DNA sequence: AGTGCGATTGACT
DNA sequence: GTCAATCGCACTA
């Protein structure tokens, strides 16, 4: 006997896992290339995934980057191999997720700032304590809370077959906008924020992302 | 041991 | 639009 799928969510095909070879090994290019790709968290309560719509690059030598002061205990993951997750607590309030973007020993990363919910929406709503779709993952702290990402995932490998990984795009990226990064004071003018134009899940007031 | 400071968010005027 | 919450980390002494 064949079981009928309970809902469309049950027949959502799992995206192919990306490997390091699928992405550019350079910080700024990686930040741009990640727009449209799938970010997946295999959570104890089920698969949670989003389509990335906003990133920021923190390249080598960037005064705004956490790696700028040199390797410390907190930022060690940024100095690990391409694909290492760097998770830290921002403002003592929320977790923020990055991916190390250069070779082992070099400190740089891409901050994953926002996504468009794809799988596990009801679980994300519970983890966020919010029911509005556009409030689930439209900011770096919100994204981590919705995906259940915290410091336990710091140092894990996006390409190592773990519970936090990147998948191919479920839909190609649209037009990509570029702007200054949000919430920083040093190197504040550098155009290193990338987002999908017109996407309602991009963080902040809409005027920031024309 | 003490100090200052964020790659933010959500509540409130 | 404004603003407080909150805490680990880096730095100074």
């Amino acid at each position: 006997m064949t079981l009928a799928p309970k809902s469309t969510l049950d027949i959502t095909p799992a995206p192919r896992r990306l490997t390091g070879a699928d992405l550019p090994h350079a910080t700024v290019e990686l930040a741009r290339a990640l727009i449209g790709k799938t970010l997946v968290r295999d959570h104890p309560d089920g698969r949670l995934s989003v389509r990335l719509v906003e990133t920021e690059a923190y390249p080598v030598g960037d005064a705004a980057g956490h790696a700028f002061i040199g390797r410390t205990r907190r930022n060690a993951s940024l100095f690990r191999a391409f694909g290492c997750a760097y998770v830290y607590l921002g403002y003592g309030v929320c977790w923020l997720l990055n991916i190390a973007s250069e070779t082992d020993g070099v400190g740089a990363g891409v901050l994953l700032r926002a996504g468009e919910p794809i799988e596990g929406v009801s679980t994300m709503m519970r983890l966020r304590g919010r029911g509005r779709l556009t409030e689930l993952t439209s900011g770096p702290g919100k994204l981590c809370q919705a995906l259940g990402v915290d410091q336990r995932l710091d140092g894990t490998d996006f390409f190592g077959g773990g519970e936090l990984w990147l998948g191919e795009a479920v839909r190609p990226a649209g037009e990509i906008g570029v702007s200054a990064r949000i919430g920083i004071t040093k190197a504040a003018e550098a155009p290193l924020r990338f987002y999908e134009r017109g996407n309602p899940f991009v963080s902040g007031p809409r005027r920031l992302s024309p």
Side-chain angles (χ1 to χ4, degrees):
Chain A
M1 136 182 187
T2 348
L3 294 174
K6 292 191 295 272
S7 77
T8 53
L9 285 183
D10 294 324
I11 58 173
T12 301
R16 178 180 65 86
R17 279 190 188 242
L18 297 181
T19 70
D22 295 313
L23 294 162
H25 285 227
T27 305
V28 179
E29 288 73 13
L30 175 65
R32 182 185 283 271
L34 285 174
I35 302 298
K37 301 297 190 295
T38 309
L39 170 63
V40 185
R41 167 79 211 280
D42 284 318
H43 188 272
D45 294 346
R47 174 162 294 173
L48 309 175
S49 69
V50 303
R51 176 175 175 272
L52 291 170
V53 299
E54 182 181 351
T55 62
E56 282 178 359
Y58 288 86
V60 175
D62 172 21
H66 286 184
F68 188 68
I69 58 172
R71 184 181 187 137
T72 65
R73 189 166 81 232
R74 174 171 78 153
N75 68 20
S77 294
L78 283 179
F79 289 82
R80 291 179 59 189
F82 184 87
C84 183
Y86 168 50
V87 181
Y88 75 95
L89 186 63
Y91 291 95
V93 170
C94 49
W95 299 104
L96 284 81
L97 172 64
N98 300 249
I99 176 170
S101 53
E102 299 286 341
T103 56
D104 197 10
V106 177
V110 171
L111 172 66
L112 307 182
R113 287 191 56 92
E116 173 181 335
I118 301 293
E119 282 184 272
V121 171
S122 59
T123 298
M124 291 192 217
M125 286 180 175
R126 182 173 54 75
L127 291 170
R128 286 276 296 130
R130 296 272 180 297
R132 263 196 100 208
L133 201 55
T134 51
E135 283 301 313
L136 290 185
T137 53
S138 55
K142 300 174 189 178
L143 182 64
C144 284
Q145 191 177 28
L147 297 180
V149 170
D150 61 26
Q151 191 156 50
R152 289 172 303 191
L153 291 170
D154 181 51
T156 62
D157 183 357
F158 277 96
F159 308 122
E163 62 193 62
L164 185 62
W165 50 280
L166 293 165
E168 63 191 345
V170 291
R171 184 172 85 247
E175 188 185 350
I176 293 178
V178 184
S179 81
R181 294 169 294 183
I182 294 177
I184 59 171
T185 53
K186 302 169 218 165
E189 69 294 336
L192 293 172
R193 169 174 173 259
F194 300 92
Y195 60 94
E196 184 175 52
R197 282 234 161 90
N199 191 293
F201 298 95
V202 168
S203 75
R206 202 154 46 119
R207 61 180 169 72
L208 286 179
S209 319

